[in-house]
Amino acid sequence: MGPVLCVVGARPNFMKMAPILRALAAHEPTMPSLLVHTGQHYDADMNDQLFAGLGLPRPDVNLEVGSGSHAIQTAEVMRRFEPVLDANRPSCVLVVGDVNSTLACTLVAVKKGVPVAHVEAGLRSFDRSMPEEINRVLTDQIADLLYTTERAAHDNLAREGVESARAQFVGNVMIDSLHANRKLAIPPEETLRHAGIDPAAFDVTQGYGVVTLHRPSNVDTEDALGPLLAVLREVSERLPLLFALHPRTRANIERFGLGAQVSGKRIAVLPPQGYLEMLGLMSSATLVLTDSGGMQEETTALGVPCLTLRENTERPITIEQGTNTLVGRDGGAITRAVDEILAGKGKRGRVPEFWDGRAAERIVAHLADWLARRHSQVGA
Ligand code: UD1
């Protein structure tokens, strides 16, 4: 049987793939794997420091596609992925998450008759203006195996006509990474020092908020980004903020001339952070303000209140059971929610079923079985 060809493309894929690669290697008998990076994210601070922090091996292949419009990026991944698939004859392709690389590689593999396993399947925001939602819906329609993080995902898949036999509830691999690395998390003081900020002047022991923003709907227009930054400024008067800037957001802040909104004593701007740095920042935070998908889950696992700056979430369990609250971009809702948390009334939440650090193990056990059965049936 050929190797399990594992695909990563962008930052949120890395923490999902690391535990899967470890579980493939630990399986008896070992399941050989091949790591393909599409190169969707390429900057050192979007890549190298995450690979290092997560203990990910160097990719066997890097397709180096880089940035572009959705069409160009997706097409370029497809074009460059096809010969890699032909040359390596994998037993299956394993994709994670919902980025353009996820869909692009799934399309190529499925059309060549190579089975695809999708990890983090079935999540839906029901907002088709989000590029990720299109990637999710299409990937789940055509992938052979759908591994889910929460039970609501199965209802979403059933509603779209996906046969239930394709879907398996296994839990959350992102939380596997969190469990594996919690003890290695880098203290916030060290991260500040590294960014050239004096931890004494920006005293994190008195509490702080962590901010990340990168969704096109929040950062690509001045109408959305301007008011959001103004609210963050208001929040910073109550609680100092550490703002880790995604390159998309940094570029737009410059383009719209909004730099003054994110300067001053109470907002510290940091470059994109490594995994262990971000884990350290989140673990000790008073609250997190974000539009990230993964951080909604990580804060739920850490028991830290999270205010999600979106109108919807594809991860409803973080609201129903965890510490997440949707606040959108409404200034009043955001400051009210911050005040509640500061008054000690933040959500405590509980950790959802199977977010226990063993999701990758469950995936690999199921996949090994499925591949063995398929092999004996079709001699594939
Ligand atoms: C992508 C994913 C999104 C994920 C996010 C995490 C899709 C559709 N979107 O969005 O789901 O949450 O990654 O970061 O796949 N850039 C750099 N350096 C890099 C990468 C990007 O400067 O290493 C800049 C480029 O100007 C690029 C822009 O960021 O045009 C956006 O990058 P892109 O990969 O298109 O989308 P993200 O916004 O990162």
Side-chain angles (χ1 to χ4, degrees):
M1 242 194 293
V4 177
L5 193 158
C6 299
V7 176
V8 292
R11 184 170 64 172
N13 294 161
F14 306 153
M15 40 295 246
K16 294 168 195 164
M17 196 56 85
I20 296 172
L21 289 172
R22 274 197 298 275
L24 285 168
H27 187 264
E28 300 268 350
T30 295
M31 293 174 78
S33 64
L34 195 78
L35 181 61
V36 175
H37 192 330
T38 65
Q40 178 173 341
H41 282 173
Y42 44 87
D43 279 348
D45 53 11
M46 299 293 279
N47 258 302
D48 308 7
Q49 51 168 346
L50 283 149
F51 263 70
L54 288 159
L56 271 166
R58 247 180 96 81
D60 298 289
V61 180
N62 193 323
L63 305 179
E64 297 180 350
V65 297
S67 301
S69 69
H70 285 273
I72 289 174
Q73 192 172 60
T74 308
E76 209 47 48
V77 173
M78 291 179 72
R79 224 169 55 79
R80 298 185 191 195
F81 185 59
E82 182 169 36
V84 174
L85 205 57
D86 289 341
N88 290 286
R89 305 173 59 83
S91 57
C92 74
V93 168
L94 190 147
V95 295
V96 295
D98 53 16
V99 301
N100 287 342
S101 303
T102 308
L103 173 62
C105 295
T106 300
L107 257 175
V108 174
V110 164
K111 287 204 171 175
K112 293 200 149 240
V114 179
V116 173
H118 180 210
V119 173
E120 202 187 83
L123 296 182
R124 296 291 180 268
S125 65
F126 305 103
D127 173 4
R128 293 213 174 179
S129 69
M130 274 181 90
E132 294 82 2
E133 183 75 351
I134 307 298
N135 295 340
R136 293 181 196 117
V137 169
L138 296 180
T139 301
D140 289 341
Q141 275 298 323
I142 57 178
D144 299 79
L145 292 173
L146 303 174
Y147 293 116
T148 64
T149 54
E150 55 178 282
R151 292 192 185 273
H154 294 256
D155 303 333
N156 296 336
L157 292 168
R159 213 175 300 114
E160 290 167 14
V162 174
E163 318 82 86
S164 61
R166 274 203 277 148
Q168 288 293 319
F169 175 48
V170 291
N172 196 329
V173 284
M174 191 145 214
I175 307 308
D176 291 8
S177 267
L178 189 140
H179 277 251
N181 290 294
R182 214 168 160 182
K183 289 206 182 84
L184 304 172
I186 294 177
E189 292 80 1
E190 202 174 316
T191 300
L192 283 180
R193 226 174 282 123
H194 191 72
I197 297 161
D198 178 5
F202 198 98
D203 186 3
V204 289
T205 57
Q206 301 301 310
Y208 63 91
V210 173
V211 183
T212 77
L213 277 181
H214 75 283
R215 295 274 157 222
S217 56
N218 279 339
V219 306
D220 278 5
T221 62
E222 192 175 351
D223 281 353
L225 186 57
L228 254 181
L229 295 184
V231 179
L232 290 179
R233 209 167 173 75
E234 211 181 315
V235 170
S236 75
E237 283 157 21
R238 298 158 160 85
L239 182 71
L241 298 178
L242 301 176
F243 190 174
L245 268 194
H246 186 281
R248 176 191 280 277
T249 313
R250 180 181 290 278
N252 288 336
I253 288 177
E254 275 166 32
R255 186 153 66 99
F256 304 139
L258 295 168
Q261 294 282 26
V262 287
S263 60
K265 282 211 176 82
R266 310 266 305 169
I267 300 188
V269 168
L270 306 172
Q273 292 299 304
Y275 184 73
L276 299 177
E277 287 81 357
M278 193 44 111
L279 194 52
L281 290 179
M282 283 192 293
S283 304
S284 320
T286 309
L287 57 87
V288 170
L289 284 149
T290 190
D291 61 8
S292 150
M295 285 169 69
Q296 295 173 51
E297 298 183 337
E298 288 163 338
T299 45
T300 276
L302 292 168
V304 172
C306 177
L307 301 179
T308 296
L309 302 163
R310 287 173 47 188
E311 305 298 335
N312 52 53
T313 179
E314 58 289 329
R315 295 163 161 90
I317 203 166
T318 60
I319 296 183
E320 290 150 15
Q321 297 184 21
T323 57
N324 192 15
T325 308
L326 284 184
V327 288
R329 278 202 298 271
D330 179 66
I334 296 169
T335 47
R336 267 195 306 280
V338 169
D339 286 340
E340 271 188 29
I341 294 168
L342 293 180
K345 289 186 235 149
K347 276 177 145 178
R348 291 242 149 68
R350 65 184 155 94
V351 178
E353 185 184 6
F354 277 3
W355 291 25
D356 58 356
R358 305 188 60 182
E361 239 173 82
R362 287 189 280 271
I363 289 170
V364 169
H366 181 272
L367 182 63
D369 224 48
W370 189 87
L371 286 173
R373 262 185 288 127
R374 186 170 188 275
H375 191 66
S376 67
Q377 278 163 14
V378 297

